[in-house]
Amino acid sequence: MKENPTRRQFLKTSVAIPAAFAVGSTASLASAAPARPDTSKPLPKRKLGKNGPDVTILNIGGMMSAHSPQYLELAWQHGIRYFDTAKVYIKGKSEKNVAGWIQRYPERRKDLFLVSKEPANSGPEALLDSIDERLEACGTDYLDLLFLHGIGPRGHGQESFDWPKSSRFQKVIDKIKSDGKAKMVGFSCHDGQLVEYLNAAAEGGFVDAIMLKYNPFFTKGDAFDRALDACYDKGIGLISMKEMRPFAKAPKANPDMEALGLTTHQGILHAVWSDPRISSICSAMENIGQLKENSEAALKFEKAMEPSHLKALEKVAAITPAAMCPGCPACDAKAKETEVAFHDISRYLCYYEQEGSNEGRDLYRKLPSVAKDTRNLNLHALKEQCAFSVDYPQILERADRYFV
């Protein structure tokens, strides 16, 4: 592939990166010139769950094309103290970038909240087998939070609906924490049956945190809202993800948001932070402009958004061509009725088109044939039913064109 636009923009605007990072390998970072004094201040923080620490309300994802030790340092200088990564991100390079940054700034490790993830497709016990690998890859002797990555029936089987309340998963969590290899353990989920996993976690009561696909425009009192309440009441920390992807094409300016001194995308972040149950937002900030814009949004957040402003923002979202559904009842209900992975395919296409990441292609190709067979699924009807009018016929056509 040709160099993608986000990468070019990053290279053009990265003049403030410390010179010590010009070297190419993490091993050479240790012998680089002494780091400059850190004069940055953390962004605002919230408590993560009942027993967790305070974490910055904005954290940086680990899949962007600009991701590197240099970019993580820019995130730190903008006040972010929470780095998110995973085994599969950038084919393992993401964790190595974190290791390079830690090697350069070991004194900051105590102030960093570091998260990594393991797919554990064979079951929760796989976390025990891989935790040392995650630690070595990240260049640390402990994680602040370890996630079972992307829990869902397609990758983990129907039995996974019971894992968040099973003694099987609880024993794994207790072992990892007692060994001091992770301070918190939970799972991430962007599956169409997210609500079922949330309710199972609330019933079990032992999961420390959940990273979830979040839609700030849910209906009060609906199944999603009640599931969030159940988890929050049990002291489970909640981290938002995928909140921005459906609105990537939203207009930057909007009169209602301008009145608040916000761009449209900053308004979406404020809409998420307006939910006190959400401790932090994981954002794939693809270039320095987005990094600055999101950090400024965090600094500007003082109180929950007024219902009138939230409604105005929802109207903008409703007329914006969405690349993926943030999780509406119609799409989630249809996901239970079919084996077609339309949620996942739209997400993979976002990775490919918005970030230039070939991981979207690789993930698509790993899907079983039945998950890509749309012959018995009326995609046009699905588009009409979706609250965000996601153009599933176009999305799956493009995925087939790019990835097959």
Side-chain angles (χ1 to χ4, degrees):
M1 290 182 61
K2 295 181 179 179
E3 190 176 41
N4 62 66
T6 56
R7 181 66 176 173
R8 290 199 301 271
Q9 185 175 357
F10 170 70
L11 292 172
K12 288 179 181 178
T13 55
S14 58
V15 294
I17 293 174
F21 276 121
V23 294
S25 68
T26 56
S28 59
L29 293 175
S31 60
R36 296 181 298 179
D38 179 21
T39 58
S40 63
K41 295 182 180 180
L43 293 176
K45 295 184 176 184
R46 284 182 178 176
K47 192 170 185 63
L48 180 62
K50 184 183 298 183
N51 300 314
D54 292 338
V55 296
T56 50
I57 61 174
L58 177 68
N59 69 81
I60 186 168
M63 284 189 68
M64 308 81 69
S65 60
H67 196 275
S68 63
Q70 302 97 309
Y71 200 58
L72 293 174
E73 173 58 12
L74 290 174
W76 183 274
Q77 294 300 326
H78 280 81
I80 296 173
R81 298 294 184 267
Y82 178 159
F83 295 170
D84 177 90
T85 186
K87 175 182 179 178
V88 299
Y89 291 170
I90 324 179
K91 298 183 178 179
K93 185 180 177 182
S94 181
E95 288 182 324
K96 292 179 180 178
N97 288 336
V98 171
W101 184 89
I102 291 176
Q103 188 176 12
R104 176 63 176 152
Y105 301 104
E107 73 283 358
R108 298 184 190 169
R109 177 64 186 94
K110 65 182 185 302
D111 298 316
L112 172 69
F113 191 82
L114 178 59
V115 179
S116 193
K117 313 181 196 76
E118 165 64 43
N121 294 107
S122 61
E125 293 79 11
L127 296 176
L128 296 172
D129 298 331
S130 68
I131 180 62
D132 289 334
E133 180 185 318
R134 303 276 62 71
L135 296 178
E136 181 179 1
C138 291
T140 185
D141 56 3
Y142 72 95
L143 292 173
D144 295 279
L145 175 56
L146 172 68
F147 280 133
L148 190 158
H149 193 180
I151 195 170
R154 187 166 288 106
H156 299 94
Q158 292 293 322
E159 66 200 47
S160 63
F161 286 115
D162 290 328
W163 289 354
K165 58 183 179 181
S166 69
S167 60
R168 178 184 178 187
F169 195 13
Q170 185 172 19
K171 289 177 181 177
V172 168
I173 291 176
D174 290 344
K175 173 64 175 173
I176 291 172
K177 291 165 64 174
S178 64
D179 287 345
K181 295 181 179 181
K183 295 183 178 180
M184 305 176 75
V185 182
F187 63 84
S188 65
C189 184
H190 30 53
D191 190 81
Q193 299 185 63
L194 167 64
V195 168
E196 284 84 345
Y197 286 103
L198 292 175
N199 285 329
E203 183 178 341
F206 57 81
V207 168
D208 294 303
I210 301 171
M211 186 178 185
L212 60 128
K213 180 179 68 173
Y214 184 87
N215 171 17
F217 308 118
F218 60 86
T219 301
K220 297 296 184 183
D222 69 6
F224 177 66
D225 189 29
R226 296 195 304 272
L228 289 181
D229 269 342
C231 288
Y232 186 73
D233 291 345
K234 287 295 182 70
I236 298 172
L238 301 172
I239 301 118
S240 168
M241 65 171 169
K242 304 293 187 291
E243 64 289 315
M244 197 70 78
R245 286 191 183 278
F247 314 117
K249 296 182 180 180
K252 187 176 181 66
N254 173 267
D256 294 282
M257 294 302 103
E258 285 181 335
L260 301 176
L262 304 173
T263 66
T264 303
H265 294 93
Q266 286 177 329
I268 292 170
L269 295 177
H270 278 225
V272 178
W273 287 321
S274 294
D275 188 338
R277 299 169 296 188
I278 300 298
S279 297
S280 186
I281 291 174
C282 182
S283 179
M285 294 166 276
E286 299 170 13
N287 53 57
I288 296 173
Q290 291 181 4
L291 178 59
K292 290 180 177 179
E293 184 176 2
N294 288 10
S295 299
E296 288 173 359
L299 291 171
K300 291 178 179 179
F301 184 78
E302 295 179 352
K303 61 180 181 178
M305 186 174 281
E306 295 291 337
S308 59
H309 289 123
L310 187 61
K311 182 61 67 175
L313 191 60
E314 185 177 6
K315 289 180 180 178
V316 174
I319 63 174
T320 298
M324 59 177 280
C325 180
C328 75
C331 290
D332 288 347
K334 181 59 68 174
K336 299 176 184 179
E337 301 173 2
T338 177
E339 294 187 74
V340 178
F342 58 87
H343 272 312
D344 291 332
I345 293 172
S346 63
R347 179 162 52 89
Y348 300 159
L349 192 65
C350 282
Y351 294 160
Y352 185 79
E353 292 184 331
Q354 294 179 13
E355 298 173 9
S357 171
N358 283 327
E359 289 189 37
R361 177 197 61 196
D362 297 339
L363 290 166
Y364 178 88
R365 291 178 176 176
K366 289 179 181 178
L367 288 172
S369 297
V370 67
K372 295 178 279 191
D373 185 355
T374 63
R375 288 176 296 179
N376 295 319
L377 181 63
N378 188 332
L379 295 175
H380 292 280
L382 183 59
K383 174 185 176 181
E384 294 301 317
Q385 294 163 2
C386 177
F388 295 87
S389 299
V390 174
D391 195 342
Y392 288 108
Q394 268 291 318
I395 285 173
L396 271 72
E397 187 277 329
R398 293 204 307 277
D400 185 71
R401 185 170 75 249
Y402 294 157
F403 302 150
V404 172

